[in-house]
Amino acid sequence: MSHGTARRQFDRLVRELAKFGAVGGAGLLVNLLVFNLVRNVTHLQVVRASVIATVVAIVFNYIGFRHFTYRDRDKSGRTREMTLFLLFSAAGLVIENGVLYVATYGFGWDSPLESNIFKFLGIALGTLFRFWSYRSWVFRALPADETVAGAESVLQAAEPSGPER
């Protein structure tokens, strides 16, 4: 692999991480806001409130990932994509809320501050798993030859068909 190719791949990864981070950061805010709102308004148990917030954030994040972060990725097989997204999101939900569950019921750390700290820690661990799984399995990159062929067909369609006036 040449230096230029490695540099392009690195730059692409950095852009992907930035977009994933932007959507994820907004999803983090949605998750924490819904968590605290549900916990304070409904008085549900902390982990139940967290699961509700996580589900809301998952829906928010799917829309952001599909239409912003990974909009250039393969769009065929949306059923497969949605199934895998939900499967890996559910695993991330277990990671995220497992941390909160252990802190709350294993150690008795249930104050609002402690709950938010462990909710955030769970989100961080779940995010590492989600980034790997989404980019590896859900929003897969098109093979290079398909990407080039797709770009060429767009360029050909944009060319004027007759002589210019």
Side-chain angles (χ1 to χ4, degrees), residues 15-78:
R15 282 191 304 276
E16 180 182 345
L17 280 167
K19 288 179 177 182
F20 188 91
V23 171
L28 170 69
L29 292 176
V30 166
N31 197 331
L32 291 174
L33 287 171
V34 172
F35 170 64
N36 284 290
L37 181 67
V38 170
R39 185 158 187 226
N40 290 314
V41 171
T42 67
H43 303 292
L44 284 174
Q45 294 174 340
V46 67
V47 175
R48 288 182 184 169
S50 180
V51 168
I52 290 168
T54 303
V55 169
V56 171
I58 286 169
V59 171
F60 175 88
N61 286 345
Y62 178 77
I63 293 166
F65 291 142
R66 170 40 58 212
H67 298 289
F68 177 66
T69 305
Y70 297 113
R71 70 176 173 252
D72 62 331
R73 300 291 174 95
D74 185 9
K75 292 178 181 74
S76 64
R78 285 285 175 106

Side-chain angles (χ1 to χ4, degrees), residues 141-160:
L142 290 170
D145 56 341
E146 286 183 37
T147 304
V148 169
E152 287 174 348
S153 68
V154 168
L155 289 173
Q156 287 174 352
E159 289 179 359

Side-chain angles (χ1 to χ4, degrees), residues 117-159:
I117 289 170
F118 288 101
K119 172 80 172 155
F120 184 81
L121 179 60
I123 290 170
L125 293 175
T127 297
L128 293 174
F129 170 77
R130 288 177 182 119
F131 179 74
W132 167 80
S133 63
Y134 294 166
R135 80 182 309 264
S136 299
W137 299 97
V138 181
F139 302 108
R140 295 187 314 190
L142 290 170
D145 56 341
E146 286 183 37
T147 304
V148 169
E152 287 174 348
S153 68
V154 168
L155 289 173
Q156 287 174 352
E159 289 179 359

